[in-house]
CSV table of all heavy atoms in Angstrom, one decimal:
chain,number,residue,atom,x,y,z
B,12,THR,N,23.0,130.8,216.9
B,12,THR,CA,23.2,132.2,217.1
B,12,THR,C,22.9,132.6,218.5
B,12,THR,O,21.8,132.3,219.1
B,12,THR,CB,22.2,133.0,216.2
B,12,THR,OG1,22.4,132.7,214.8
B,12,THR,CG2,22.4,134.5,216.3
B,14,PHE,N,23.4,135.4,222.0
B,14,PHE,CA,23.5,136.7,222.4
B,14,PHE,C,24.2,136.7,223.8
B,14,PHE,O,23.7,136.1,224.8
B,14,PHE,CB,22.1,137.4,222.5
B,14,PHE,CG,21.5,137.7,221.2
B,14,PHE,CD1,20.8,136.7,220.5
B,14,PHE,CD2,21.7,138.9,220.5
B,14,PHE,CE1,20.2,136.9,219.3
B,14,PHE,CE2,21.2,139.1,219.3
B,14,PHE,CZ,20.4,138.1,218.6
B,48,SER,N,12.5,134.8,214.2
B,48,SER,CA,13.0,136.1,213.6
B,48,SER,C,14.6,136.1,213.7
B,48,SER,O,15.2,136.6,212.8
B,48,SER,CB,12.5,137.3,214.4
B,48,SER,OG,11.1,137.4,214.1
B,49,VAL,N,15.1,135.6,214.8
B,49,VAL,CA,16.6,135.5,214.9
B,49,VAL,C,17.2,134.7,213.8
B,49,VAL,O,18.2,135.0,213.2
B,49,VAL,CB,17.1,135.0,216.2
B,49,VAL,CG1,18.6,134.9,216.3
B,49,VAL,CG2,16.6,136.0,217.3
B,50,THR,N,16.5,133.6,213.4
B,50,THR,CA,16.9,132.7,212.3
B,50,THR,C,16.9,133.5,211.0
B,50,THR,O,17.9,133.5,210.2
B,50,THR,CB,16.0,131.5,212.2
B,50,THR,OG1,16.0,130.7,213.3
B,50,THR,CG2,16.4,130.6,211.0
B,51,ALA,N,15.9,134.3,210.8
B,51,ALA,CA,15.8,135.1,209.6
B,51,ALA,C,16.9,136.2,209.5
B,51,ALA,O,17.5,136.4,208.5
B,51,ALA,CB,14.4,135.8,209.5
B,52,LEU,N,17.1,136.8,210.6
B,52,LEU,CA,18.1,137.9,210.7
B,52,LEU,C,19.5,137.3,210.5
B,52,LEU,O,20.4,138.0,210.0
B,52,LEU,CB,18.0,138.6,212.0
B,52,LEU,CG,16.7,139.5,212.2
B,52,LEU,CD1,16.7,140.1,213.6
B,52,LEU,CD2,16.7,140.6,211.2
B,53,SER,N,19.7,136.1,211.0
B,53,SER,CA,21.0,135.4,210.8
B,53,SER,C,21.3,135.2,209.3
B,53,SER,O,22.4,135.4,208.8
B,53,SER,CB,21.0,134.1,211.5
B,53,SER,OG,20.9,134.3,212.9
B,54,ILE,N,20.2,134.8,208.5
B,54,ILE,CA,20.3,134.5,207.1
B,54,ILE,C,20.7,135.8,206.4
B,54,ILE,O,21.5,135.9,205.5
B,54,ILE,CB,19.1,133.9,206.5
B,54,ILE,CG1,18.8,132.5,207.1
B,54,ILE,CG2,19.1,133.8,205.0
B,54,ILE,CD1,17.5,131.9,206.8
B,55,MET,N,20.0,136.9,206.8
B,55,MET,CA,20.2,138.2,206.2
B,55,MET,C,21.5,138.9,206.6
B,55,MET,O,21.9,139.9,206.1
B,55,MET,CB,19.1,139.2,206.6
B,55,MET,CG,17.7,138.7,206.0
B,55,MET,SD,17.6,138.8,204.2
B,55,MET,CE,17.6,140.6,204.0
B,56,GLY,N,22.2,138.4,207.6
B,56,GLY,CA,23.4,139.0,208.1
B,56,GLY,C,23.2,140.3,208.9
B,56,GLY,O,24.0,141.2,208.8
B,57,LEU,N,22.1,140.3,209.6
B,57,LEU,CA,21.7,141.5,210.4
B,57,LEU,C,21.7,141.3,211.9
B,57,LEU,O,21.0,142.0,212.6
B,57,LEU,CB,20.3,141.9,209.9
B,57,LEU,CG,20.1,142.4,208.5
B,57,LEU,CD1,18.7,142.6,208.1
B,57,LEU,CD2,21.0,143.6,208.2
B,58,ILE,N,22.4,140.3,212.4
B,58,ILE,CA,22.5,140.1,213.8
B,58,ILE,C,23.4,141.2,214.4
B,58,ILE,O,24.6,141.3,214.0
B,58,ILE,CB,23.1,138.7,214.1
B,58,ILE,CG1,22.1,137.6,213.7
B,58,ILE,CG2,23.3,138.6,215.6
B,58,ILE,CD1,20.8,137.6,214.4
B,59,PRO,N,23.0,142.0,215.4
B,59,PRO,CA,23.8,143.0,215.9
B,59,PRO,C,25.0,142.4,216.7
B,59,PRO,O,24.8,141.6,217.6
B,59,PRO,CB,22.9,143.8,216.8
B,59,PRO,CG,21.8,142.9,217.2
B,59,PRO,CD,21.6,142.0,216.0
B,60,ASP,N,26.2,142.8,216.4
B,60,ASP,CA,27.4,142.3,217.0
B,60,ASP,C,28.3,143.4,217.6
B,60,ASP,O,28.8,144.2,216.8
B,60,ASP,CB,28.2,141.5,216.0
B,60,ASP,CG,29.4,140.8,216.6
B,60,ASP,OD1,29.6,140.9,217.9
B,60,ASP,OD2,30.2,140.3,215.9
B,61,PRO,N,28.4,143.6,218.9
B,61,PRO,CA,27.7,142.8,220.0
B,61,PRO,C,26.3,143.3,220.2
B,61,PRO,O,25.9,144.3,219.6
B,61,PRO,CB,28.6,143.1,221.2
B,61,PRO,CG,29.1,144.5,220.9
B,61,PRO,CD,29.3,144.6,219.4
B,62,PRO,N,25.5,142.5,220.9
B,62,PRO,CA,25.8,141.3,221.7
B,62,PRO,C,25.7,140.0,221.0
B,62,PRO,O,26.1,139.0,221.5
B,62,PRO,CB,24.8,141.4,222.9
B,62,PRO,CG,23.6,142.0,222.2
B,62,PRO,CD,24.1,143.0,221.2
B,63,GLY,N,25.1,140.1,219.8
B,63,GLY,CA,24.8,138.8,219.1
B,63,GLY,C,26.0,138.3,218.3
B,63,GLY,O,26.9,139.1,217.9
B,64,LYS,N,26.0,137.0,218.1
B,64,LYS,CA,27.1,136.4,217.3
B,64,LYS,C,26.7,135.0,216.8
B,64,LYS,O,26.1,134.2,217.5
B,64,LYS,CB,28.4,136.2,218.1
B,64,LYS,CG,29.6,135.7,217.4
B,64,LYS,CD,30.8,135.7,218.2
B,64,LYS,CE,32.1,135.2,217.5
B,64,LYS,NZ,32.4,136.1,216.3
B,65,ILE,N,26.9,134.8,215.5
B,65,ILE,CA,26.7,133.5,214.9
B,65,ILE,C,27.8,132.6,215.3
B,65,ILE,O,29.0,132.8,214.8
B,65,ILE,CB,26.5,133.5,213.4
B,65,ILE,CG1,25.2,134.4,213.1
B,65,ILE,CG2,26.3,132.1,212.8
B,65,ILE,CD1,25.0,134.6,211.6
B,70,ILE,N,25.1,128.6,206.3
B,70,ILE,CA,24.0,129.2,205.6
B,70,ILE,C,24.3,129.2,204.1
B,70,ILE,O,25.0,130.1,203.6
B,70,ILE,CB,23.6,130.6,206.1
B,70,ILE,CG1,23.3,130.6,207.6
B,70,ILE,CG2,22.4,131.1,205.3
B,70,ILE,CD1,23.1,132.0,208.2
B,77,LEU,N,27.0,132.0,203.2
B,77,LEU,CA,26.9,133.4,203.4
B,77,LEU,C,27.7,133.8,204.6
B,77,LEU,O,28.1,135.0,204.8
B,77,LEU,CB,25.4,133.8,203.6
B,77,LEU,CG,24.5,133.6,202.4
B,77,LEU,CD1,23.1,134.0,202.8
B,77,LEU,CD2,25.0,134.3,201.2
B,78,LEU,N,28.0,132.9,205.6
B,78,LEU,CA,28.7,133.2,206.8
B,78,LEU,C,30.2,133.5,206.4
B,78,LEU,O,30.9,134.1,207.3
B,78,LEU,CB,28.7,132.1,207.8
B,78,LEU,CG,27.3,131.8,208.3
B,78,LEU,CD1,27.3,130.7,209.4
B,78,LEU,CD2,26.6,133.0,208.9
B,82,ASP,N,31.3,142.0,204.6
B,82,ASP,CA,30.2,142.9,204.7
B,82,ASP,C,29.7,143.5,203.3
B,82,ASP,O,28.5,143.6,203.1
B,82,ASP,CB,30.5,144.1,205.6
B,82,ASP,CG,30.7,143.6,207.1
B,82,ASP,OD1,30.1,142.6,207.4
B,82,ASP,OD2,31.3,144.4,207.9
B,85,MET,N,27.8,140.8,201.5
B,85,MET,CA,26.5,140.6,202.0
B,85,MET,C,25.5,141.8,201.6
B,85,MET,O,24.3,141.6,201.4
B,85,MET,CB,26.5,140.5,203.5
B,85,MET,CG,26.8,139.1,204.0
B,85,MET,SD,25.7,137.8,203.4
B,85,MET,CE,24.1,138.4,204.0
B,86,ARG,N,26.1,143.0,201.5
B,86,ARG,CA,25.2,144.1,201.1
B,86,ARG,C,24.7,143.9,199.6
B,86,ARG,O,23.6,144.4,199.3
B,86,ARG,CB,26.0,145.4,201.2
B,86,ARG,CG,26.0,146.1,202.6
B,86,ARG,CD,26.5,147.5,202.6
B,86,ARG,NE,27.9,147.5,202.5
B,86,ARG,CZ,28.8,147.4,203.5
B,86,ARG,NH1,28.3,147.4,204.7
B,86,ARG,NH2,30.1,147.5,203.3
B,88,VAL,N,24.1,140.9,198.3
B,88,VAL,CA,23.1,139.8,198.4
B,88,VAL,C,21.8,140.3,199.0
B,88,VAL,O,20.7,140.0,198.5
B,88,VAL,CB,23.7,138.6,199.2
B,88,VAL,CG1,22.6,137.6,199.5
B,88,VAL,CG2,24.9,138.0,198.5
B,89,ARG,N,22.0,141.0,200.1
B,89,ARG,CA,20.8,141.5,200.9
B,89,ARG,C,20.0,142.5,200.1
B,89,ARG,O,20.5,143.5,199.7
B,89,ARG,CB,21.3,142.1,202.2
B,89,ARG,CG,20.2,142.4,203.2
B,89,ARG,CD,20.8,143.2,204.4
B,89,ARG,NE,21.9,142.5,205.0
B,89,ARG,CZ,23.1,143.0,205.1
B,89,ARG,NH1,23.4,144.2,204.7
B,89,ARG,NH2,24.1,142.3,205.7
B,90,GLY,N,18.7,142.2,199.9
B,90,GLY,CA,17.8,143.1,199.1
B,90,GLY,C,17.9,142.8,197.7
B,90,GLY,O,16.9,143.2,196.9
B,93,VAL,N,18.4,138.0,198.2
B,93,VAL,CA,17.6,137.7,199.3
B,93,VAL,C,16.9,138.9,199.9
B,93,VAL,O,17.6,139.8,200.3
B,93,VAL,CB,18.4,137.0,200.4
B,93,VAL,CG1,17.5,136.5,201.6
B,93,VAL,CG2,19.2,135.8,199.9
B,94,SER,N,15.6,138.9,200.0
B,94,SER,CA,14.9,140.1,200.5
B,94,SER,C,14.0,139.7,201.7
B,94,SER,O,13.7,138.5,201.8
B,94,SER,CB,14.0,140.7,199.4
B,94,SER,OG,14.7,141.6,198.6
B,95,MET,N,13.7,140.7,202.5
B,95,MET,CA,12.9,140.4,203.7
B,95,MET,C,11.8,141.4,204.0
B,95,MET,O,12.1,142.6,203.8
B,95,MET,CB,13.9,140.3,204.9
B,95,MET,CG,13.2,139.9,206.2
B,95,MET,SD,14.5,139.6,207.5
B,95,MET,CE,13.4,139.3,208.9
B,96,ILE,N,10.7,140.9,204.3
B,96,ILE,CA,9.6,141.8,204.7
B,96,ILE,C,9.6,141.7,206.2
B,96,ILE,O,9.3,140.7,206.9
B,96,ILE,CB,8.2,141.3,204.2
B,96,ILE,CG1,8.2,141.2,202.7
B,96,ILE,CG2,7.1,142.2,204.6
B,96,ILE,CD1,7.0,140.5,202.1
B,97,PHE,N,9.8,142.9,206.9
B,97,PHE,CA,10.0,142.9,208.3
B,97,PHE,C,8.6,143.1,209.0
B,97,PHE,O,7.6,143.5,208.3
B,97,PHE,CB,10.9,144.1,208.7
B,97,PHE,CG,12.3,143.9,208.3
B,97,PHE,CD1,12.7,144.4,207.0
B,97,PHE,CD2,13.2,143.2,209.0
B,97,PHE,CE1,14.0,144.2,206.6
B,97,PHE,CE2,14.5,143.0,208.6
B,97,PHE,CZ,14.9,143.5,207.4
B,178,ILE,N,12.0,136.4,202.5
B,178,ILE,CA,11.7,136.0,203.9
B,178,ILE,C,10.7,137.0,204.4
B,178,ILE,O,10.9,138.2,204.4
B,178,ILE,CB,13.0,136.1,204.8
B,178,ILE,CG1,14.1,135.2,204.2
B,178,ILE,CG2,12.7,135.7,206.2
B,178,ILE,CD1,15.5,135.4,204.9
B,180,ASP,N,8.5,138.0,207.5
B,180,ASP,CA,8.5,137.8,209.0
B,180,ASP,C,7.2,138.4,209.5
B,180,ASP,O,7.0,139.7,209.6
B,180,ASP,CB,9.7,138.5,209.6
B,180,ASP,CG,9.8,138.2,211.1
B,180,ASP,OD1,9.0,137.5,211.7
B,180,ASP,OD2,10.7,138.8,211.8
Side-chain angles (χ1 to χ4, degrees):
T12 303
F14 290 85
S48 295
V49 174
T50 299
L52 293 174
S53 298
I54 295 169
M55 296 292 291
L57 294 174
I58 296 296
D60 181 10
K64 186 174 179 61
I65 297 177
I70 302 174
L77 297 182
L78 298 183
D82 289 343
M85 275 306 301
R86 274 192 287 272
V88 171
R89 189 188 305 122
V93 184
S94 279
M95 184 168 175
I96 303 172
F97 295 92
I178 302 173
D180 190 1

